[in-house]
């Protein structure tokens, strides 16, 4: 199963992925229309500063974009009292029709990746983009101007991490 | 050999959170295994949702935790009856219909039952219910409702208060009577509990604390007419719901040599004192990460995790159970609260220590909205989060508590509702030996600390 990773050396904390994610989860999938329709919800992934000091040299970068890790076994699935949160082929999926907003999953997620907004909102791996390929498969990956976001297996992401980046700002297209 | 004996590899007694999760794990890793489940309930539903059903917010189908054809789908043989005895020498479970079922490996997932207070007349009066089972409790209450105008809820715990709110929703006059000095005494510290007592009051559900019932009024075998307190005061009512916690169902084990205390003792592999018998869920007294001793946290998430881990060990895939902790998340009249850990506990039915802490961190952006974190020796031992913003990313506090991370350097930030994983990653990297999950290892490697 494909998962999403973020290279902190490339992430410039522009938050393009957050907007793209929020827009993807609207009916129109257009930023302008979504704002006018008032159905722009929270993003399901967040750009997060690394540690207290954004310029800590001990760390490989400044920020990274994080969402659901689709872990297995998933504590949110164990905690869900309605079985709304469940696994499908390795993906952790929330059936919003079943969610009653008890927030047991919010309490259980060790990554802080579930947002309580009437229903439990989290990364759903862009189900409406299943037909798309390459970077267009996921809204966040497509939107990332520095190619910090990576979709694939961790073993492949490791080789990305192993490649040096001399000047982070040069990766901006 | 007893001709009536049915032979089976795995037998699971109980088909709720722990039993069902165990059955799924057994089937996932052993496609050909013979799995038998013994249960006195035919549908697999969510007990924590019963109050939603009682309130009329969910119908019966919406309570289902697994589809109605679960047993066929997982090729599980079912015996819809009660298990009444256990012969550990012959490895047989005795069933109510007089037959037996033999096992190679047995999982006890018998759950628990509502704890009824020792009050005169409580078992004889009609209209007195727990809130644990769909048929016996929830549906029975619903069919009693046409006769009821005033309800008394005995117990100010989670189930009691959820029941009270649900009955209010149904248009009844509801009063909650609590023995303890404050409601939710197993979940919240006193000042947090006061907030919820006020919320209930404001929504027309008075909560009386230090109210010890001594008798249920009414004639034997007819409906309850009132609850009398030790003070002599009488609360007239025609419906009583008891929500004073649960006790493990141990009847099955009475004549066995299984080591038990309050529940059945299990080791770190969820195995009982007899090697082919495992236990999970509300009946299992297992490791508690914060107390460092065997305890029962009768909670849905704990039962699910234990069911899965017990099954893995039954399959021979050695898997250590890290331990449970007290934790809960609930909403009352629209106000969410998440609380976990020890610090706010009064001693439970097992006695034991109450929560000890040497420091309290508090953040109150507005009245009735806050994060409160209890520390002992610079590690989190408990927290209470009240309000929409404070509960966000509560799991981060829970994992720091679970892994006993020294938080001396991040105390101020822990109070911030904006606290996120990125902020904590350097701390997690410093304590990486505690964060063994694949995802945490990947994150630590990614940030290259």
């Amino acid at each position: 199963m494909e998962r999403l990773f973020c290279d902190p050396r490339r992430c410039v904390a522009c938050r393009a992925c957050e907007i793209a994610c929020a827009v993807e989860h609207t009916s129109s999938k257009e930023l302008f229309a979504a704002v006018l329709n008032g159905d722009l919800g929270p993003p399901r992934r967040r750009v997060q500063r690394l540690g207290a000091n954004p310029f800590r040299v001990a760390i490989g970068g400044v920020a990274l974009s994080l969402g659901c890790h689709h872990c297995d076994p998933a504590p949110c699935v164990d905690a869900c009292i309605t079985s709304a949160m469940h696994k499908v082929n390795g993906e952790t999926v929330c059936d919003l029709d079943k969610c009653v907003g008890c927030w047991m999953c919010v309490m259980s997620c060790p990554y802080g990746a579930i947002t309580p907004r009437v229903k439990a909102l989290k990364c759903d791996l862009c189900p409406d983009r299943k037909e798309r390929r390459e970077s267009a498969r996921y809204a966040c990956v497509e939107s990332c101007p520095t190619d910090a976001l990576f979709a694939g297996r961790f073993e492949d992401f490791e080789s990305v991490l192993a490649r040096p980046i001399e000047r982070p700002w040069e990766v901006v297209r | 050999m007893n001709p009536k004996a049915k032979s089976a590899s795995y037998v699971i007694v109980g088909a709720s959170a722990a039993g069902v999760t165990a059955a799924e794990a057994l089937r996932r890793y052993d496609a050909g295994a013979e799995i038998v489940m013994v249960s006195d309930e035919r549908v697999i539903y969510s007990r924590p949702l019963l109050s939603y059903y009682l309130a009329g917010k969910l119908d019966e189908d919406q309570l289902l935790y697994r589809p109605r054809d679960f047993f066929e789908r997982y090729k599980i043989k079912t015996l819809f009856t009660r298990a009444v005895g256990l012969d550990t020498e012959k490895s047989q479970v005795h069933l109510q219909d007089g037959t037996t079922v033999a096992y190679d490996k047995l999982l006890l997932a018998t759950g628990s039952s509502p704890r009824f207070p020792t009050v005169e007349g409580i078992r004889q009066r009609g209209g007195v219910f727990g809130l644990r089972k769909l048929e016996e409790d929830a549906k029975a209450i619903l069919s009693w409702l046409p006769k009821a105008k005033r309800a008394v809820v005995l117990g100010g715990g989670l189930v009691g208060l959820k029941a009270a709110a649900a009955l209010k929703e149904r248009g009844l006059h509801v009063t909650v009577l609590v023995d303890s000095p404050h409601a939710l005494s197993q979940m919240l510290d006193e000042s947090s509990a006061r907030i919820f007592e006020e919320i209930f009051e404001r929504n027309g559900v008075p909560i009386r604390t230090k109210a010890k019932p001594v008798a249920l009024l009414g004639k034997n075998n007819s409906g309850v007419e009132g609850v009398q307190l030790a003070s002599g005061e009488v609360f007239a009512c025609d419906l009583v719901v008891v929500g004073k916690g649960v006790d493990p169902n141990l009847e099955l084990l009475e004549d066995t040599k299984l080591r038990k205390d309050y529940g059945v003792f299990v080791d770190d592999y969820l195995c009982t004192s007899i090697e082919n018998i495992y236990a999970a869920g509300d009946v299992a007294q297992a490791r508690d990460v914060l107390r460092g001793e065997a305890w029962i946290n009768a909670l849905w998430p704990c039962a699910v995790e234990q069911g899965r881990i017990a099954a893995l060990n039954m399959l021979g895939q050695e898997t250590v159970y890290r331990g449970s902790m007290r934790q809960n998340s609930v909403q009352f009249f629209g106000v969410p609260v998440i609380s976990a850990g020890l610090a706010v506990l009064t001693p439970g039915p097992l006695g034991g220590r109450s929560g000890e802490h040497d420091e309290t961190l508090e953040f109150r952006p507005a009245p009735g909205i806050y994060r409160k974190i209890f520390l002992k020796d610079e590690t989190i031992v408990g927290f209470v989060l009240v309000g929409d913003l404070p509960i966000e990313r509560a799991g981060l506090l829970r994992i720091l508590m679970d892994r006993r991370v020294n938080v001396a350097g991040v105390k101020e930030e822990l109070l911030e509702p904006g606290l996120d994983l990125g902020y904590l990653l350097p701390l997690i990297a410093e304590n990486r030996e505690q964060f063994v999950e694949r995802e945490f290892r990947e994150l630590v490697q990614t940030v290259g600390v």
Side-chain angles (χ1 to χ4, degrees):
Chain A
M1 177 205 149
E2 234 176 32
R3 293 186 299 142
L4 303 175
F5 302 98
C6 180
D7 185 343
R9 302 169 305 167
R10 290 168 188 259
C11 179
V12 293
C14 68
R15 306 176 75 181
C17 54
E18 292 187 9
I19 286 288
C21 177
V23 170
E24 175 67 19
H25 294 93
T26 61
S27 51
S28 63
K29 300 194 191 295
E30 297 274 350
L31 176 58
F32 190 59
V35 171
L36 286 183
N37 295 340
D39 69 346
L40 198 64
R44 284 102 190 278
R45 61 188 307 109
R46 296 265 184 193
V47 173
Q48 312 189 3
R49 295 273 167 185
L50 275 170
N53 176 358
F55 302 108
R56 254 167 101 132
V57 280
I59 290 175
V62 172
L64 76 174
S65 166
L66 295 172
C68 171
H69 291 82
H70 298 276
C71 52
D72 191 12
C76 60
V77 173
D78 282 0
C80 183
I81 60 172
T82 67
S83 72
M85 204 66 88
H86 64 289
K87 295 298 270 188
V88 182
N89 302 326
E91 296 178 18
T92 305
V93 182
C94 184
D95 178 347
L96 296 180
D97 290 335
K98 279 191 173 180
C99 176
V100 294
C102 72
W103 313 139
M104 292 288 259
C105 54
V106 173
M107 175 183 80
S108 304
C109 176
Y111 310 102
I114 300 171
T115 305
R117 291 287 185 281
V118 185
K119 305 281 180 176
L121 304 182
K122 61 181 283 299
C123 168
D124 54 8
L125 294 169
C126 296
D128 298 342
R129 287 174 171 247
K130 284 234 157 84
E131 305 309 314
R132 303 207 201 173
R133 290 289 166 261
E134 305 290 313
S135 71
R137 171 66 187 83
Y138 305 101
C140 55
V141 176
E142 185 181 49
S143 74
C144 183
T146 62
D147 287 337
L149 283 169
F150 175 91
R153 299 179 312 147
F154 187 72
E155 298 78 71
D156 300 324
F157 180 58
E158 274 181 305
S159 56
V160 172
L161 288 175
R163 262 178 257 140
I165 291 178
E166 286 185 2
R167 286 184 288 262
W169 52 88
E170 284 189 356
V171 301
V172 181
R173 286 193 286 246
Chain B
M1 202 178 144
N2 180 350
K4 278 182 176 172
K6 305 155 188 142
S7 112
S9 301
Y10 299 104
V11 173
I12 301 171
V13 183
S16 189
V20 165
T21 316
E24 285 174 339
L26 289 173
R27 183 54 77 224
R28 177 172 174 180
Y29 295 106
D30 189 345
E34 194 179 349
I35 303 172
V36 179
M37 293 187 85
V38 181
S39 171
D40 58 356
E41 293 180 290
R42 284 174 184 269
V43 290
I44 302 166
Y45 61 94
S46 167
R47 300 192 198 285
L49 289 180
L50 286 180
S51 60
Y52 292 74
Y53 175 73
L54 189 57
K57 288 179 183 165
L58 297 180
D59 63 30
E60 190 176 333
D61 277 342
Q62 290 170 309
L63 295 182
L64 294 182
Y65 184 64
R66 290 293 182 264
R68 289 184 193 275
D69 63 353
F70 172 84
F71 299 112
E72 294 95 79
R73 212 185 276 186
Y74 279 79
K75 299 190 188 70
I76 292 165
K77 189 176 165 191
T78 49
L79 300 168
F80 291 119
T81 178
R82 284 185 69 83
V84 291
L86 178 58
D87 185 335
T88 59
E89 304 275 309
K90 290 186 185 153
S91 291
Q92 286 178 340
V93 179
H94 295 273
L95 306 175
Q96 197 164 35
D97 60 10
T99 60
T100 59
V101 55
Y103 57 83
D104 294 327
K105 295 201 173 148
L106 173 68
L107 178 67
L108 299 169
T110 52
S112 56
S113 299
R115 184 183 309 138
F116 272 52
T118 44
V119 170
E120 201 191 313
I122 199 156
R123 299 282 179 186
Q124 289 83 37
R125 305 283 179 274
V128 182
F129 306 93
L131 186 51
R132 172 83 192 169
K133 289 191 157 187
L134 177 59
E135 298 288 336
E136 283 169 44
D137 301 320
K139 285 190 178 175
I141 295 173
L142 284 188
S143 56
W144 191 268
L145 278 187
K147 290 183 243 179
K149 286 195 175 66
R150 313 182 75 87
V152 163
V153 172
L154 297 181
L158 207 57
V159 172
L161 292 193
K162 283 169 83 177
L167 292 172
K168 181 69 192 173
E169 203 106 10
R170 289 280 183 177
L172 272 71
H173 292 278
V174 187
T175 306
V176 182
L177 303 179
V178 187
D179 275 357
S180 323
H182 62 83
L184 295 166
S185 59
Q186 300 292 310
M187 181 175 176
L188 299 179
D189 57 307
E190 184 171 345
S191 65
S192 304
R194 293 287 175 236
I195 292 174
F196 283 93
E197 287 171 13
E198 277 164 33
I199 289 171
F200 270 77
E201 190 86 44
R202 220 182 306 136
N203 285 279
V205 181
I207 297 180
R208 283 283 294 267
T209 56
K210 296 181 197 162
K212 192 171 170 48
V214 290
L216 286 198
L217 307 181
K219 295 176 194 73
N220 270 354
N221 305 318
S222 74
V224 61
E225 289 168 14
V227 178
Q228 189 176 0
L229 300 186
S231 61
E233 200 176 348
V234 169
F235 288 85
C237 63
D238 30 37
L239 169 65
V240 170
V241 177
V242 180
K244 297 179 72 67
V246 290
D247 289 320
N249 292 330
L250 296 171
E251 307 81 34
L252 183 58
L253 314 176
E254 262 163 25
D255 300 321
T256 67
K257 289 182 187 150
L258 281 177
R259 258 187 84 220
K260 48 190 186 276
D261 173 29
Y262 178 60
V264 187
F265 274 122
V266 287
D267 62 15
D268 289 348
Y269 303 92
L270 301 179
C271 188
T272 67
S273 56
I274 293 177
E275 66 172 358
N276 61 342
I277 303 178
Y278 294 73
D282 291 4
V283 76
Q285 197 167 335
R287 174 191 289 276
D288 180 303
V289 275
L290 295 172
R291 293 173 192 271
E293 59 185 317
W295 198 265
I296 298 180
N297 290 299
L299 303 164
W300 192 265
C302 302
V304 171
E305 188 186 15
Q306 289 175 8
R308 187 182 59 247
I309 291 177
L312 293 176
N313 286 305
M314 290 165 81
L315 288 158
Q317 300 181 23
E318 248 183 41
T319 308
V320 172
Y321 178 57
R322 272 192 55 82
S324 68
M325 67 165 80
R326 196 197 57 78
Q327 50 182 315
N328 238 315
S329 171
V330 65
Q331 278 199 61
F332 290 119
F333 299 108
V335 181
V337 53
I338 292 181
S339 132
L342 268 187
V344 297
L345 263 188
T346 51
L350 298 175
R353 331 171 216 151
S354 62
E356 293 168 3
H357 55 273
D358 51 27
E359 191 177 356
T360 306
L361 309 172
E362 249 183 284
F363 172 73
R364 277 179 195 275
I369 294 179
Y370 60 89
R371 276 165 96 96
K372 196 187 274 191
I373 301 169
F374 305 94
L375 303 178
K376 171 105 168 102
D377 300 330
E378 310 288 12
T379 59
I380 302 174
V381 292
F383 59 83
V384 178
L385 316 175
V386 180
D388 290 320
L389 199 59
I391 64 162
E392 294 216 358
R393 290 175 288 279
L396 296 174
L397 295 178
R398 208 189 63 86
I399 195 77
L400 292 176
M401 173 160 71
D402 185 75
R403 304 300 150 94
R404 314 303 286 269
V405 174
N406 185 314
V407 295
V410 297
K411 285 188 208 170
E412 288 297 307
E413 291 76 11
L414 293 181
L415 290 173
E416 291 283 336
L419 176 77
D420 61 28
L421 177 60
Y423 181 83
L424 293 173
L425 271 180
L427 185 65
I428 286 167
E430 273 172 41
N431 293 277
R432 66 189 72 183
E433 69 288 348
Q434 295 296 321
F435 293 85
V436 295
E437 288 84 352
R438 177 183 69 164
E439 293 73 19
F440 276 122
R441 281 189 279 114
E442 289 169 355
L443 281 167
V444 168
Q445 191 182 334
T446 298
V447 298
V449 190

